[in-house]
Amino acid sequence: MNFAPFPLYRTRRMRSCPEVRQMIRETELSVRDFIYPLFVCEGEQVKREVKSMPGVFQYSLDMLDSELCELESLGIAAVLLFGLPSHKDECGSQAYDENGIVQRAVRQIRADHPKLFVITDVCMCEYTSHGHCGKLTPSGDVDNDATLQWLAAEALSHAQAGANMVAPSDMMDGHVAAIRQALDQGGFSNVGIMSYSTKYASGFYGPFRDAADSAPAHGDRRSYQMDPANREEGVRMAEIDIAQGADMVMVKPALAYLDVLRDVRERLHFPTVAYNVSGEYSMVKAAAQNGWIDEKRVVLELLLSIKRAGACMIITYHAKEAARWLSEVDHG
């Protein structure tokens, strides 16, 4: 049988051995890419595993130090804090209380681990008795403009406690501008804003609501989080937040929205974060525990895909394990 002549360029030559594959690799995943989410709660001697998120825990402040030491030893330089208050009310008062759980956690981390970059989630859902992300109108809708005052107060209280950056996740119109104004007027112009600008109303958030105790008591969040069908709107949302003063923008979830992540990064040329969310994490964990996948290989491949799509930083619950696996590769 006669075959057509091979081309002069044989692509397999560049895949023939690990050394040449490394030399031409287009995307590199590093521990420096990771932001690790932490859940802090009231109480003492609490290290409570989240049932739907194996390997993820809620920590009381007295149990936090060993976790932070481990993160630093792995080279993870940034954490994203979520708080579980002991008390919830209609106005989410613990969110902006100077002695709230997140505010105390920030002060403790900044004192004991000053090299860690501390980012705080700014939202009301963990703190309100109804579980929605802001103040409710009599009809049960979230009052966008009234909520901005709460968010600004929460962000300012985090900055006063020592946060390096605040991350509004509420999806209220005008939230970045309100927070930027509050920070600047409060003397915190150096505190950055990482906006959850492109946050979809997703089914992948279920395990997080277990971890943060933030499920809405009624209804859902589709009136303020984005429609999963909309791609162009995702870019517009990021553009709006940049114009209001965001220092970084985010696409959330990551894996189901890699096309949007790529659009935001390529079209806006702005620091873009991706959130590898709880449901994405838990599906991998469940499959690995059942022996259906090679967890190490799949996790590193998924994180690499997020980086390849354009993420500057990746918020991920896989961060500690991925850091260890990447270290094995580096020293192997």
Side-chain angles (χ1 to χ4, degrees):
M1 182 180 293
N2 294 323
F3 293 96
F6 279 107
L8 290 176
Y9 180 62
R10 289 178 177 252
T11 58
R12 287 186 59 190
R13 279 198 292 263
M14 293 292 97
R15 305 175 199 144
S16 60
C17 64
E19 291 76 17
V20 73
R21 291 195 295 271
Q22 179 68 32
M23 284 192 296
I24 66 167
R25 187 158 292 151
E26 298 174 19
T27 305
E28 292 284 351
L29 188 66
S30 165
V31 65
R32 294 184 299 275
D33 300 325
F34 302 148
I35 299 170
Y36 188 61
L38 280 175
F39 299 94
V40 291
C41 64
E42 300 285 2
E44 296 180 354
Q45 295 293 303
V46 178
K47 182 181 178 181
R48 182 186 305 116
E49 188 170 28
V50 180
K51 291 182 179 180
S52 56
M53 299 179 70
V56 174
F57 296 83
Q58 300 166 345
Y59 295 93
S60 57
L61 299 188
D62 59 321
M63 298 293 286
L64 199 54
D65 187 66
S66 60
E67 178 74 355
L68 298 173
C69 288
E70 181 182 11
L71 294 176
E72 289 187 311
S73 71
L74 291 169
I76 297 169
V79 294
L80 175 60
L81 290 182
F82 297 91
L84 287 82
S86 58
H87 168 73
K88 300 187 180 194
D89 54 36
E90 286 290 308
C91 57
S93 60
Q94 289 292 299
Y96 39 85
D97 189 322
E98 65 176 344
N99 290 313
I101 183 62
V102 165
Q103 290 82 348
R104 296 189 344 258
V106 171
R107 289 194 290 268
Q108 179 175 315
I109 295 170
R110 298 291 288 149
D112 298 341
H113 300 269
K115 292 184 179 180
L116 274 177
F117 192 84
V118 180
I119 309 167
T120 57
D121 180 77
V122 174
C123 195
M124 302 303 300
C125 60
E126 296 109 306
Y127 304 94
T128 54
S129 52
H130 47 73
H132 279 283
C133 298
K135 183 177 182 178
L136 296 186
T137 66
S139 64
D141 294 330
V142 175
D143 186 329
N144 188 100
D145 295 2
T147 298
L148 299 182
Q149 299 176 21
W150 291 358
L151 298 170
E154 182 181 5
L156 182 59
S157 73
H158 292 177
Q160 290 168 336
N164 300 103
M165 179 172 279
V166 295
S169 61
D170 53 280
M171 291 297 286
M172 296 295 114
D173 292 338
H175 63 168
V176 172
I179 289 170
R180 185 72 271 160
Q181 182 179 27
L183 293 175
D184 290 351
Q185 290 180 350
F188 296 98
S189 59
N190 60 323
V191 172
I193 298 175
M194 181 176 73
S195 173
Y196 288 63
S197 57
T198 308
K199 179 179 179 181
Y200 287 88
S202 172
F204 286 102
Y205 301 151
F208 173 88
R209 291 170 182 169
D210 292 339
D213 188 25
S214 63
H218 59 83
D220 55 41
R221 297 175 178 143
R222 297 184 191 187
S223 68
Y224 42 104
Q225 294 178 359
M226 288 180 54
D227 187 336
N230 293 354
R231 179 176 172 179
E232 287 294 321
E233 185 187 13
V235 179
R236 290 199 302 275
M237 294 295 292
E239 199 167 22
I240 289 168
D241 281 3
I242 292 168
Q244 292 182 14
D247 300 285
M248 306 178 82
V249 293
M250 185 196 299
V251 175
K252 179 185 180 183
L255 296 175
Y257 299 89
L258 293 179
D259 57 331
V260 180
L261 173 61
R262 170 58 70 183
D263 285 345
V264 169
R265 183 67 188 278
E266 285 196 337
R267 289 165 59 177
L268 301 182
H269 305 287
F270 203 77
T272 306
V273 181
Y275 200 143
N276 178 211
V277 299
S278 60
E280 297 168 342
Y281 171 87
S282 295
M283 288 193 302
V284 170
K285 281 292 182 182
Q289 288 179 350
N290 278 283
W292 298 337
I293 60 170
D294 178 336
E295 183 177 5
K296 174 181 175 180
R297 183 172 181 179
V298 167
V299 167
L300 293 180
E301 185 176 347
L302 291 176
L303 294 176
L304 185 65
S305 76
I306 297 169
K307 180 78 179 288
R308 190 183 64 241
C312 299
M313 299 292 292
I314 305 170
I315 303 167
T316 179
Y317 305 95
H318 294 294
K320 291 195 296 183
E321 293 164 317
R324 293 189 186 95
W325 293 329
L326 289 171
S327 178
E328 292 169 6
V329 171
D330 292 340
H331 295 97

